[in-house]
Amino acid sequence: MTIVRNLACLAPLLLAACGADPAPGPVEQIIVREAGAEPATASPAASGGDSATALVAAGKAAFANCAACHAIAPDAANGAGPNLFGIVGKPAAQVAGFDYSDALKASGITWTAAELDSFIANPAAKVPGTTMVAGAIGDAAQRKAVIAYLESSAAN
């Protein structure tokens, strides 16, 4: 009975985390320099020198919202959502030990970058009947970064 009461208390907290605004408004950066000093040079990430690393880092930061429901580590337990480690390139609804919706099981989706992009943008539109009802990412750049992070997780 104690476990049921604890789960009942924890469920609203987890659901609230999934509904957090994944795309706050634009962030403004102000660079202050001494009068007459040369302007700062662009960072390697901004100039494209290490853009893949920067994209993965941005994806890791954006995935923090997803982490309320999903793990992304080898052998990590499933949470409210399945462990997403190594998910890119795999068929949908195949993570062992997770109870998927019938809709996702029947979807026939293989998680390519394009399929992930459209699913993360609007899960209910991509797979009507899915149980993933929170956590959509409306910003295309954030989705691209999250997908890069998912792709890199299994490569490391």
Side-chain angles (χ1 to χ4, degrees):
M1 191 57 137
T2 303
I3 294 173
V4 173
R5 187 174 56 231
N6 288 343
L7 287 176
C9 292
L10 186 60
L13 188 63
L14 287 173
L15 291 175
C18 288
D21 182 13
V27 176
E28 186 174 336
Q29 293 182 343
I30 299 173
I31 300 173
V32 179
R33 60 185 171 96
E34 295 291 325
E38 291 294 316
T41 58
S43 69
S47 64
D50 199 16
S51 61
T53 302
L55 186 64
V56 170
K60 183 176 183 178
F63 189 82
N65 289 329
C66 310
C69 299
H70 297 280
I72 185 167
D75 303 321
N78 294 316
N83 182 347
L84 299 178
F85 181 80
I87 200 76
V88 180
K90 302 277 173 69
Q94 299 298 311
V95 174
F98 189 78
D99 187 24
Y100 289 96
S101 66
D102 290 338
L104 196 58
K105 288 177 192 175
S107 69
I109 293 173
T110 296
W111 292 126
T112 63
E115 292 287 3
L116 281 165
D117 184 65
S118 63
F119 184 76
I120 296 169
N122 189 342
K126 178 70 176 173
V127 181
T130 184
T131 54
M132 183 171 158
V133 294
I137 301 174
D139 181 75
Q142 264 194 331
R143 288 194 309 271
K144 182 178 180 180
V146 167
I147 293 164
Y149 175 59
L150 290 171
E151 289 173 325
S152 75
S153 69
N156 293 331

